[in-house]
Amino acid sequence: MALKIRLARGGSKKRPYYHVVLADARSPRDGRFLENLGSWNPMLAKDDEKRVQLNAERIKHWIEHGAQPTDRVLRFLDEAGVAKREVKNNPVKAKPGKRAQERAAEKAQKVADAAAAAADAAE
């Protein structure tokens, strides 16, 4: 059985609250889980100590037994010093799309044409 340490959403509409749970990877996000390992309340301030609460001892136990944390949970574990998260780098993600690049090229061409016309008029 593939185990995941992941978030299960709770709370009402526009007031999210998440439980950090150990679940079978095949079970639904808010469905059956094996153990509750902590919580995350994104509505609290980032420097609030109650924003992220983790049971580090149990999380270490389950990671030793093969549980894989999701990327968001791994960020919390890295901040708590429980696990190490490698920094990811995707330079392609920051680039604009094809249409935005075309619009930028058209705009640059218009600016260049206007500058050339102004230089010709000045002579």
Side-chain angles (χ1 to χ4, degrees):
M1 174 167 52
L3 297 175
K4 287 277 190 185
I5 300 174
R6 64 183 183 201
L7 297 173
R9 191 178 194 278
S12 59
K13 181 178 177 183
K14 299 190 182 198
R15 306 277 305 163
Y17 185 86
Y18 296 91
H19 294 278
V20 179
V21 297
L22 174 78
D24 183 4
R26 297 168 296 184
S27 64
R29 178 193 73 181
D30 300 334
R32 188 178 62 190
F33 61 89
L34 302 173
E35 188 174 347
N36 191 353
L37 302 172
S39 63
W40 173 44
N41 187 352
M43 301 299 290
L44 296 177
K46 292 192 178 193
D47 59 347
D48 192 341
E49 61 189 36
K50 292 183 180 179
R51 182 177 167 99
V52 177
Q53 295 178 332
L54 300 171
N55 186 344
E57 183 179 311
R58 293 301 294 165
I59 291 173
K60 286 179 187 175
H61 167 80
W62 283 112
I63 289 176
E64 290 171 1
H65 283 81
Q68 295 293 317
T70 59
D71 189 53
R72 175 59 59 184
V73 172
L74 194 55
R75 285 174 183 254
F76 298 148
L77 298 178
D78 188 30
E79 290 174 12
V82 176
K84 182 69 177 144
R85 177 181 175 268
E86 296 299 323
V87 177
K88 295 182 179 181
N89 183 18
N90 186 358
V92 177
K93 184 177 181 180
K95 291 183 181 176
K98 188 168 99 173
R99 290 283 299 148
Q101 289 176 353
E102 290 171 1
R103 284 191 295 268
E106 290 173 9
K107 187 175 181 180
Q109 184 63 37
K110 285 181 183 179
V111 169
D113 291 344
D120 290 340
E123 290 180 359

